[in-house]
Amino acid sequence: MIFKSNSKKINISIIGVGYVGTVTGACFAKLGNNVIMVDIDKEKTDKINQGISPIYEKDLDDILANNKDRIRADTSYSFAIKNSDATFVCVGTPLKKDNNIDLSFIETATTAIGRCLKEKDTWHLVVIKSTVLPGTAENFILSLLEKHSGKKAGNEFGLASNPEFLREGIAVKDFLEPDRIVIGFYDDKSRDVLIELYKDFPCPIVKTTLSVAEMIKYVSNCFLATKISFTNEIGNICKKLDIDTDEVFKGVGLDHRINPAFFKSGLGFGGSCFSKDVRALITKAKDIGENAKILQSVIDVNEKQPLKMIELLEKHMSLEGKKIGILGLAFKPNTDDIRDSRAITVVDTLIKNGAKVVAYDPKAMENFKKIFSQIEYVSSAEEVLDTDAVLVATGWEEFEDLDFTDKVVIDGRRIERAEKEAAKYEGVCW
Ligand code: UDX
């Protein structure tokens, strides 16, 4: 998407050079703004200064290389805050073991920004792009900024929430062609600066409070996860009724109130966001005396889907001593990311039942080896077929080129050719 940008350019700093921060900074630079990206990891900042992206995202390297004159990376907060008008906080908010959100990176970043604001004599906007529970900006972040800057939010610095809705692998496209921009603002000036920054985007701009903006992000992810678990619950029923789940959802999705997206049944959702955000909201609800039963069932259904795959396999053979092939390890195609990948539960269960695992993934094997060093990894998908049974855990396009003739296949992501050719074929939900 290339559109003429008439918005007034501002100097932007980005805290946190992960997939959100790098994509956000690069795209703001592409739109004509000067961007300083900050990270404690000098390896990352060095890469960006060479026009190389520290993470894999389609088109990102080109954007970084083509906008080098507007982008620089640094490990120093003070340089970045001094030389920018607005700072976007894009640090991670992982889940702690007790299912509470870990705000330690937010606290570190906010404290450092506050200290820099103390030394700055011009107004500065702090924008929270990290996924934080409703109330975090208005209470936790605002008080830290005021404490460490000695300034008052509103007239001496601005505060806003601007959540992201980026999908891994297509994050650049999702940034430049969003369905909506969400701006939660503490003060009018913060609102106006962000409206100006985003004014050329051809989508609705939602202007609201800090807490509503934070909640829109959570509810969006929770609803998408709910759609998937709902699809899988219906898929498990359809499987036993010998009804094709995809056919059912083709008909259901045509209702304009429902829409066809996110109705792919199978092994369920992985990734660094869905499970984390659903669990964090369940905990938040519990803290305020609400029992989020539907959200809990979204997690419960999702946790069981990989076990459905094992159940189906055991209908065909015992696992002890068998050689089982795994096609796909990443949490979804076109990424090397294995965070919360459904393949983790599948492989773990196979090992616990005495099976020997042979795995292949076009991009994610190096990451998977860090968790499962004891299984065999092969350099081609074909080699996985030379096993007692083949399990499809990630729907990579290239798996459609394989010859599944005479194979036993348990499919979690619906590879059409497997369904046509396998000697014995079971779809998890079809
Ligand atoms: C998600 C949200 O889509 C994005 O808006 C948010 O900002 C971050 O989290 P991402 O995790 O990158 O993005 O991947 P997504 O494409 O949403 O897929 C998430 C998981 O759901 C994957 O494991 C995928 O295989 C699974 N999925 C997706 C299904 O099982 N069925 C579907 O129909 C869609």
Side-chain angles (χ1 to χ4, degrees):
M1 153 71 76
I2 308 282
F3 48 79
K4 190 160 171 18
S5 173
N6 306 312
S7 65
K8 189 169 97 34
K9 304 306 163 225
I10 63 170
N11 298 321
I12 286 168
S13 47
I14 303 282
I15 308 295
V17 175
Y19 96 92
V20 173
T22 314
V23 170
T24 299
C27 291
F28 274 144
K30 176 185 169 68
L31 299 175
N33 303 285
N34 294 315
V35 175
I36 304 170
M37 298 196 205
V38 179
D39 201 288
I40 47 170
D41 182 343
K42 194 168 176 321
E43 213 181 295
K44 285 186 180 178
T45 54
D46 288 349
K47 271 190 166 180
I48 288 177
N49 288 328
Q50 292 153 33
I52 304 165
S53 168
I55 51 127
Y56 172 75
E57 271 297 336
K58 189 170 173 304
D59 301 334
L60 191 51
D61 274 329
D62 291 350
I63 294 177
L64 286 171
N66 299 337
N67 295 281
K68 273 182 84 171
D69 55 326
R70 278 197 286 269
I71 296 171
R72 65 167 292 161
D74 204 300
T75 53
S76 153
Y77 273 84
S78 52
F79 173 81
I81 307 292
K82 209 184 311 166
N83 293 287
S84 64
D85 312 300
T87 297
F88 284 76
V89 177
C90 302
V91 296
T93 54
L95 209 56
K96 292 193 280 197
K97 288 236 178 321
D98 62 0
N99 279 341
N100 273 302
I101 187 170
D102 176 356
L103 289 178
S104 57
F105 300 115
I106 289 279
E107 182 167 8
T108 305
T110 308
T111 302
I113 293 168
R115 287 190 181 130
C116 297
L117 292 182
K118 193 181 178 75
E119 311 307 319
K120 190 167 181 179
D121 51 13
T122 51
W123 190 85
H124 192 94
L125 170 57
V126 180
V127 186
I128 308 304
K129 193 166 268 291
S130 303
T131 301
V132 290
L133 285 163
T136 304
E138 194 157 17
N139 303 311
F140 183 68
I141 293 174
L142 188 144
S143 57
L144 275 174
L145 286 172
E146 290 191 334
K147 175 183 168 198
H148 292 288
S149 67
K151 294 180 174 175
K152 277 303 285 163
N155 45 19
E156 291 178 285
F157 66 84
L159 180 61
S161 162
N162 176 219
E164 48 80 21
F165 302 95
L166 308 180
R167 288 167 294 173
E168 273 192 49
I170 36 178
V172 168
K173 184 178 182 304
D174 280 352
F175 186 96
L176 294 172
E177 299 169 40
D179 292 328
R180 75 306 204 184
I181 304 279
V182 174
I183 297 172
F185 57 93
Y186 178 78
D187 56 286
D188 291 357
K189 188 169 177 181
S190 299
R191 177 199 58 205
D192 297 344
V193 167
L194 286 177
I195 289 171
E196 180 62 26
L197 183 65
Y198 284 111
K199 82 175 190 184
D200 300 312
F201 280 69
C203 68
I205 296 190
V206 176
K207 299 176 275 293
T208 184
T209 66
L210 293 169
S211 296
V212 168
E214 290 162 334
M215 194 61 169
I216 288 171
K217 170 64 184 174
Y218 269 90
V219 174
S220 298
N221 271 5
C222 287
F223 187 74
L224 291 168
T226 302
K227 249 190 137 172
I228 294 168
S229 282
F230 175 78
T231 307
N232 286 331
E233 180 150 282
I234 298 298
N236 295 335
I237 297 167
C238 288
K239 170 78 181 170
K240 292 199 168 159
L241 294 173
D242 199 20
I243 294 171
D244 188 320
T245 312
D246 282 354
E247 290 300 298
V248 169
F249 281 100
K250 271 198 197 97
V252 170
L254 289 171
D255 184 315
H256 74 278
R257 295 164 302 173
I258 298 176
N259 118 11
F262 271 59
F263 276 148
K264 281 204 296 254
S265 64
L267 273 186
F269 57 82
S272 63
C273 303
F274 282 167
S275 180
K276 165 178 87 82
D277 293 350
V278 175
R279 291 173 193 274
L281 195 54
I282 291 169
T283 305
K284 178 77 180 177
K286 218 172 278 172
D287 293 349
I288 55 174
E290 277 300 318
N291 176 11
K293 289 194 279 285
I294 293 176
L295 293 180
Q296 188 54 54
S297 64
V298 168
I299 296 293
D300 296 343
V301 168
N302 197 55
E303 289 307 294
K304 289 204 179 70
Q305 283 314 97
L307 304 179
K308 292 275 179 190
M309 173 173 256
I310 302 296
E311 269 171 44
L312 290 167
L313 177 59
E314 287 182 308
K315 271 170 57 183
H316 296 274
M317 61 186 73
S318 67
L319 300 183
E320 182 65 40
K322 291 290 186 316
K323 200 169 149 189
I324 307 295
I326 305 280
L327 283 178
L329 301 171
F331 84 90
K332 70 172 183 176
N334 306 315
T335 179
D336 63 356
D337 194 343
I338 61 163
R339 286 176 290 182
D340 207 30
S341 169
R342 301 292 83 198
I344 293 171
T345 307
V346 173
V347 169
D348 189 48
T349 311
L350 288 170
I351 293 170
K352 285 183 174 139
N353 284 277
K356 189 178 169 334
V357 176
V358 179
Y360 168 78
D361 185 285
K363 283 193 190 285
M365 289 194 284
E366 283 318 305
N367 287 331
F368 213 78
K369 281 175 188 168
K370 294 171 194 161
I371 309 181
F372 291 103
S373 55
Q374 72 276 43
I375 67 172
E376 183 187 351
Y377 295 89
V378 289
S379 54
S380 74
E382 285 73 11
E383 292 168 80
V384 169
L385 301 180
D386 183 18
T387 50
D388 297 309
V390 178
L391 309 186
V392 182
T394 314
W396 286 95
E397 188 60 35
E398 67 179 70
F399 297 158
E400 292 290 355
D401 302 334
L402 295 172
D403 179 355
F404 292 93
T405 313
D406 302 334
K407 302 299 172 194
V408 176
V409 178
I410 313 295
D411 191 354
R413 300 294 184 194
R414 200 144 204 183
I415 302 296
E416 275 175 39
R417 197 162 159 189
E419 194 164 1
K420 284 198 199 90
E421 292 178 349
K424 286 185 187 152
Y425 178 88
E426 293 269 16
V428 170
C429 287
W430 53 85

